Amino acid sequence: EAGVAQSPRYKIIEKRQSVAFWCNPISGHATLYWYQQILGQGPKLLIQFQNNGVVDDSQLPKDRFSAERLKGVDSTLKIQPAKLEDSAVYLCASSSRLDGEQYFGPGTRLTVT
Amino acid sequence: GEDVEQSLFLSVREGDSSVINCTYTDSSSTYLYWYKQEPGAGLQLLTYIFSNMDMKQDQRLTVLLNKKDKHLSLRIADTQTGDSAIYFCAESYSGGGADGLTFGKGTHLIIQP
């Protein structure tokens, strides 16, 4: 079974630029999560989708971050405009109700200069 | 609010047991997890425990939960060099893939030869 795929793996941008990350969850997983992991910290949940609906986006900085999961499968996370403090690894995870485990992708490492 | 605390570093000798500790503040946490993160890799679920349990054993791993003190520990028996990683404690309210996770900052496990 293929795992959670993310791209790109690395991205370097200048502040005030825009960036987008892509996630393809495990086939059949209805729930998808985006986490932000700043260096030296644990992951922090940004947004959770159930199919194509948002379940929790309480910690998403909505003035600059947006995410969508239009067809209930792939998801994109966008930052516009980026700030220096957005430098982090962005992790995507997915889960199904059958076993409940959240499976994490390898992450996208964003560096904002 | 929710908070999960862990010590940042633990150094053990190869072959000894490692005990990684975690405290949490949310008394409504129902599921408690231990994740492993190796350099450049995503998060891997090691084990989890329901809040109505006080112990769970899985091969070399033993999880102990003291719900009264909101204290969780992970014991790794016969620690090997391959166990070198960052270990994250995490909690959720409903588990089963229904909730995002709240993570601690992670404990770096360092193995001495």
Side-chain angles (χ1 to χ4, degrees):
Chain A
E1 177 183 76
V4 176
Q6 291 187 247
S7 68
R9 290 296 310 276
Y10 305 91
K11 189 74 178 177
I12 301 173
I13 61 171
E14 295 181 351
K15 59 184 178 184
R16 291 187 289 274
Q17 286 187 323
S18 301
V19 66
F21 312 126
W22 174 82
C23 173
N24 180 235
I26 292 173
S27 177
H29 281 194
T31 311
L32 185 146
Y33 314 78
W34 282 103
Y35 289 86
Q36 179 194 55
Q37 186 177 16
I38 293 173
L39 186 65
Q41 297 185 20
K44 181 184 86 171
L45 179 70
L46 291 176
I47 190 167
Q48 176 184 348
F49 291 94
Q50 180 72 20
N51 297 308
N52 60 352
V54 175
V55 173
D56 181 0
D57 64 356
S58 57
Q59 298 190 89
L60 187 73
K62 297 180 188 63
D63 58 334
R64 298 182 300 105
F65 286 64
S66 64
E68 59 184 15
R69 193 184 184 200
L70 291 176
K71 296 181 180 178
V73 181
D74 293 3
S75 177
T76 55
L77 176 69
K78 297 179 182 177
I79 308 175
Q80 181 180 6
K83 292 185 175 181
L84 296 176
E85 59 260 37
D86 299 331
S87 293
V89 175
Y90 290 85
L91 295 164
C92 180
S94 69
S95 70
S96 75
R97 279 285 181 176
L98 295 177
D99 67 5
E101 177 178 346
Q102 291 189 27
Y103 296 84
F104 283 81
T108 296
R109 182 176 297 276
L110 173 68
T111 302
V112 182
T113 63
Chain B
E2 302 169 2
D3 201 12
V4 178
E5 299 283 343
Q6 301 177 240
S7 53
L8 291 183
F9 295 96
L10 176 66
S11 178
V12 298
R13 273 199 262 178
E14 190 176 357
D16 288 351
S17 292
S18 305
V19 180
I20 303 170
N21 294 302
C22 167
T23 58
Y24 59 98
T25 57
D26 189 351
S27 58
S28 62
S29 296
T30 307
Y31 294 76
L32 295 140
Y33 304 82
W34 285 104
Y35 278 82
K36 178 182 181 182
Q37 188 175 42
E38 295 178 274
L43 288 157
Q44 174 196 355
L45 177 65
L46 289 177
T47 187
Y48 65 92
I49 190 168
F50 299 121
S51 60
N52 63 357
M53 299 168 63
D54 51 20
M55 187 181 95
K56 182 178 180 181
Q57 189 153 0
D58 183 2
Q59 299 181 337
R60 292 191 298 124
L61 305 179
T62 303
V63 179
L64 295 178
L65 174 61
N66 181 327
K67 195 175 179 182
K68 174 176 169 288
D69 294 338
K70 299 191 188 74
H71 181 267
L72 183 74
S73 68
L74 173 70
R75 178 177 179 268
I76 305 172
D78 187 24
T79 308
Q80 302 298 309
T81 55
D83 296 324
S84 180
I86 304 175
Y87 290 81
F88 291 94
C89 172
E91 62 173 0
S92 74
Y93 175 66
S94 61
D99 261 4
L101 300 172
T102 299
F103 286 86
K105 291 186 176 182
T107 299
H108 292 244
L109 179 61
I110 300 162
I111 315 300
Q112 299 173 12

